Amino acid sequence: MALTIENTGLDFTPMHERMASYVDENILSCCATLVMQGTKIVDYKTFGYMNVEDKSPLQEDAIYRMYSNTKIVTSVALMMLYEQGHFKLDDPLGKFMPDFADMQVLTANASSADDVVAAKNPILIKHILSHSAGLSYGFIEPDSVVDQTYNKTINVLSDFSLDLEEFCAGIAKLPLAYEPGTSWRYSVATDVCARLVEVLSGQKFDEFLRDKIFTPLAMVDTDFWVPPEKAQRFITMYAPTDIFDPMAPGLVKADDPISGQYNQQRKWLSGGGGLVSTVSDYVSFLQMIISGGEWNGQRILKDETLALMRTNQLAEGVSVAFPMWAMPGTVFGLGFALKENLQAGDPAGAQDEYHWGGMAGTHSWMAPEADLTGFCLTQRMPGFWHPFSHEFKAHAYAIAGKQ
């Protein structure tokens, strides 16, 4: 679907020139940026290529691997069931998924997965929506005891052989990194949310999303795979030749758009990172969120539910923390990271900004104080929290943010 750009007279040339430079310098193969004031699109621009081998220009309807931008969709799906009265946020997860009823927690000085004690408190549903359950991922801190234990059981980046039920059965056998509700750790919790959607709704996760979100919002290209007739619109993904320097030039192919990971239907319907989408599709989803849960006459969530999702769910003193990405002043709600405290250099309008993004460089953020939303995309693995996304945001606030 073609996007309508409002003519505001704003000059986005400085942003466009800077984004183009990332492609010109062979740091990114492609880039797309979109800015909204309210729900009105005031700028949309594509840069670079569908693939660097033949330099075919990036298409406006190109299909992207969304990775963890999927998490916001999954969180909305589960909160739809919350609205319908299927659960309370303080309900134990084990009430609906018994495998998670009696968890073990690693001791403070654990040297192996055997160093565990019984959890004092249950995992609550609000914990899996806020990454505070004690679950982990396996690749964020690979030398830790918990991630080494995960890596012996799962590989969320390359093993697509399990369905959500099988995956969660395996995860429930692993020890927690900490007592539920006492800390924050990025994790497979949103995949557990996806399985909970299946349990509560009686539908497969992809069917639920299609029926309740994608079809109502006309998200016609959003799915867990790319069928052959759409493969020509699927962007090649690249990895940097120097993984430790995000600004070093040089790219190597990481996933093929014709014969890659997404070119056949898979059992693994990852609620944490499985979707592909287009700018047009995902913007419809963002417009629904910005406008209080309704878009184009389709009510997905109540405004008060979205307000609840933007409320900090972490224990006092706990904040978002990664070993490799700095997010000072950030806490977590029900599916969104939340800017709780402005930092030096942050625009005033960034207060209460809520956001999340994907590993291959897709990122969406909404700033109510500035009446501003930004959406930037590339296909670089890894590309999350890349300098291009920070520069895009700085330009967007300076050019289009409410002063």
Side-chain angles (χ1 to χ4, degrees):
M1 184 174 66
L3 295 170
T4 301
I5 316 300
E6 297 283 332
N7 185 3
T8 60
L10 296 171
D11 183 8
F12 287 91
T13 303
M15 175 198 293
H16 296 164
E17 290 177 345
R18 185 60 185 131
M19 295 298 101
S21 72
Y22 277 91
V23 175
D24 295 342
E25 294 168 21
N26 200 30
I27 297 169
L28 303 178
S29 65
C30 68
C31 173
T33 57
L34 184 143
V35 180
M36 287 189 281
Q37 292 178 324
T39 58
K40 295 179 179 179
I41 301 169
V42 296
D43 187 64
Y44 174 39
K45 188 78 170 174
T46 59
F47 313 85
Y49 312 106
M50 296 295 293
N51 66 78
V52 298
E53 288 75 27
D54 67 16
K55 290 196 163 26
S56 55
L58 179 62
Q59 300 168 211
E60 289 196 354
D61 62 351
I63 297 172
Y64 296 80
R65 300 158 190 81
M66 300 304 289
Y67 286 99
S68 288
N69 268 99
T70 305
K71 288 182 169 68
I72 305 178
V73 178
T74 301
S75 301
V76 164
L78 186 53
M79 292 304 288
M80 293 174 77
L81 293 168
Y82 164 81
E83 275 192 357
Q84 295 168 19
H86 287 273
F87 66 90
K88 297 181 176 65
L89 291 173
D90 288 327
D91 278 342
L93 178 60
K95 177 179 177 180
F96 307 100
M97 298 172 65
D99 287 349
F100 288 94
D102 298 301
M103 300 297 290
Q104 302 285 306
V105 184
L106 289 170
T107 59
N109 299 309
S111 59
S112 79
D114 296 325
D115 296 330
V116 294
V117 294
K120 297 175 185 175
N121 299 300
I123 296 173
L124 306 181
I125 294 179
K126 67 181 180 183
H127 295 154
I128 59 170
L129 280 158
S130 58
H131 296 285
S132 59
L135 303 173
S136 194
Y137 239 137
F139 62 85
I140 300 294
E141 205 174 10
D143 293 332
S144 64
V145 172
V146 67
D147 279 4
Q148 288 176 354
T149 305
Y150 269 63
N151 285 331
K152 292 175 183 175
T153 305
I154 61 162
N155 186 332
V156 295
L157 295 178
S158 62
D159 183 3
F160 313 123
S161 64
L162 303 177
D163 63 20
L164 285 166
E165 182 177 11
E166 294 165 332
F167 177 85
C168 288
I171 292 298
K173 294 182 175 70
L174 302 179
L176 299 175
Y178 51 79
E179 189 69 31
T182 63
S183 189
W184 187 91
R185 189 180 186 91
Y186 200 42
S187 70
V188 299
T190 321
D191 294 303
V192 179
C193 289
R195 175 55 187 160
L196 185 56
V197 169
E198 292 189 330
V199 171
L200 296 174
S201 70
Q203 287 185 283
K204 297 295 290 182
F205 186 52
D206 57 345
E207 294 171 358
F208 183 93
L209 294 184
R210 192 176 305 116
D211 290 351
K212 302 300 193 296
I213 299 176
F214 300 158
T215 298
L217 295 178
M219 298 170 67
V220 296
D221 291 317
T222 304
D223 208 335
F224 289 93
W225 74 300
V226 179
E229 64 271 18
K230 297 182 181 182
Q232 295 303 318
R233 291 196 284 130
F234 194 27
I235 306 168
T236 301
M237 185 168 69
Y238 295 89
T241 51
D242 184 350
I243 196 170
F244 297 107
D245 182 357
M247 295 299 287
L251 299 166
V252 60
K253 183 186 286 190
D255 188 45
D256 189 84
I258 305 297
S259 58
Q261 295 178 349
Y262 291 84
N263 295 105
Q264 57 274 322
Q265 289 182 289
R266 304 177 291 186
K267 287 179 69 178
W268 177 229
L269 304 175
S270 173
L275 289 176
V276 296
S277 192
T278 61
V279 172
S280 175
D281 275 13
Y282 205 83
V283 163
S284 291
F285 178 72
L286 296 176
Q287 288 168 318
M288 175 275 295
I289 290 172
I290 297 161
S291 61
E294 183 177 5
W295 187 243
N296 282 343
Q298 300 293 320
R299 170 67 63 182
I300 305 298
L301 280 178
K302 296 176 183 175
D303 190 24
E304 53 264 40
T305 303
L306 284 162
L308 179 61
M309 294 175 71
R310 297 190 297 267
T311 303
N312 181 28
Q313 301 295 315
L314 305 185
E316 176 125 12
V318 174
S319 59
V320 171
F322 286 98
M324 72 291 274
W325 301 305
M327 287 190 194
T330 301
V331 292
F332 218 88
L334 301 167
F336 295 115
L338 313 170
K339 174 67 77 170
E340 185 177 58
N341 299 307
L342 292 179
Q343 305 297 299
D346 285 340
Q351 181 67 49
D352 299 327
E353 177 189 287
Y354 56 106
H355 70 93
W356 204 243
M359 185 67 86
T362 58
H363 203 105
S364 55
W365 47 267
M366 289 72 82
E369 291 295 318
D371 192 30
L372 192 68
T373 292
F375 187 28
C376 60
L377 309 90
T378 187
Q379 292 288 265
R380 180 190 193 273
M381 178 61 88
F384 179 69
W385 223 237
H386 189 275
F388 99 93
S389 67
H390 303 314
E391 290 205 61
F392 161 68
K393 180 186 284 190
H395 279 292
Y397 271 103
I399 296 168
K402 187 170 67 177
Q403 302 301 317

